Amino acid sequence: LETNLNYQGLSLKNIINPFLIEIFKSQILNNENLNAKINFEIKNIYDFDRFSDLLLRLNIEQGKMTFSKSKIKWKNNVNLFFEDAILDFENEKIKFIGKIVVDIRDKDDFYKFFQVNKDLRKDLNKMEFDFNYDFNENKIYFDNLKLDNKTNESLEKFISNFNSKNGKFFNKITFKTFVNKIFLAYFG
């Protein structure tokens, strides 16, 4: 199966909904005889007004689901790329595991949106990190966070502390706080 689905606009709630999660959990798609390439192109994402131009590339090869080479744009200032991303089914659990690269084009708007202190606003072009999102427990863990291909002990310690504190998923405010703490740990 190979298909391209194009949408002018869609809500993320329609993409990631409980029904779809239950289909993934049932592992009905985890079948050695199933091969598919499904590309979702969504121009506008209604419930996240700063996101647009989502290209979600779902590849299913012998039941293994990957989302590598997917990308999304954040207000024309930031591009997020899924370099490696896979849905992993193990022990009745479903996990979304991968690596994200964040290409920052307009640093000023990025820093302004996240309300980063002016003394922490350094010249930054790229962030990258590994992630592990557990759908069953609704928890996320990060690893190998790098800013312009560099890390430091404070940043690694911050990520380790975050992961040890139960890694609950974010809302808009806690996510802004999290990003600020990344810059404080790295540049502070």
Side-chain angles (χ1 to χ4, degrees):
L1 169 70
E2 189 168 334
T3 191
N4 293 313
L5 303 170
N6 297 304
Y7 296 93
Q8 186 59 36
L10 198 63
S11 168
L12 271 184
K13 293 175 187 172
N14 292 336
I15 300 170
I16 306 171
N17 63 46
F19 177 72
L20 184 62
I21 300 302
E22 289 303 316
I23 288 175
F24 288 145
K25 285 181 182 178
S26 74
Q27 297 191 31
I28 196 168
L29 300 174
N30 192 7
N31 183 321
E32 287 184 10
N33 297 318
L34 181 61
N35 293 298
K37 289 184 181 184
I38 304 170
N39 295 320
F40 296 91
E41 290 188 44
I42 304 166
K43 187 70 180 160
N44 295 304
I45 300 172
Y46 297 133
D47 45 357
F48 286 91
D49 59 341
R50 288 176 120 8
F51 286 112
S52 65
D53 299 323
L54 171 64
L55 174 59
L56 189 62
R57 296 179 186 266
L58 171 59
N59 281 322
I60 304 173
E61 282 189 41
Q62 298 178 344
K64 294 183 182 181
M65 287 184 261
T66 65
F67 293 90
S68 299
K69 308 288 189 240
S70 294
K71 62 182 177 178
I72 190 168
K73 195 179 283 187
W74 180 76
K75 198 186 166 204
N76 294 325
N77 300 327
V78 175
N79 292 319
L80 291 99
F81 301 95
F82 287 93
E83 275 196 1
D84 297 308
I86 187 169
L87 273 178
D88 182 45
F89 303 96
E90 189 176 305
N91 299 330
E92 304 283 326
K93 289 192 173 192
I94 181 171
K95 293 182 180 181
F96 187 42
I97 302 167
K99 178 179 184 174
I100 293 180
V101 175
V102 181
D103 178 28
I104 302 169
R105 296 173 163 230
D106 185 342
K107 297 164 209 49
D108 294 332
D109 190 53
F110 176 82
Y111 286 133
K112 183 177 163 185
F113 177 79
F114 286 104
Q115 300 173 343
V116 175
N117 290 338
K118 289 191 179 190
D119 58 328
L120 300 176
R121 296 181 182 191
K122 309 295 182 191
D123 189 30
L124 178 66
N125 297 307
K126 183 170 87 168
M127 296 173 68
E128 59 186 86
F129 54 90
D130 298 334
F131 67 92
N132 183 334
Y133 178 70
D134 186 324
F135 280 94
N136 300 76
E137 297 180 18
N138 197 27
K139 294 180 183 177
I140 190 162
Y141 302 94
F142 297 105
D143 198 14
N144 300 320
L145 179 59
K146 295 179 184 175
L147 305 178
D148 284 335
N149 296 318
K150 298 176 188 166
T151 190
N152 64 28
E153 192 174 316
S154 295
L155 187 56
E156 290 174 9
K157 185 177 179 183
F158 167 73
I159 293 299
S160 178
N161 286 339
F162 172 82
N163 290 337
S164 68
K165 290 182 182 174
N166 227 359
K168 286 287 183 184
F169 206 65
F170 305 104
N171 63 34
K172 194 174 187 177
I173 293 168
T174 58
F175 184 64
K176 280 185 178 183
T177 302
F178 176 75
V179 170
N180 265 287
K181 288 181 179 180
I182 287 172
F183 288 102
L184 183 61
Y186 189 78
F187 294 119

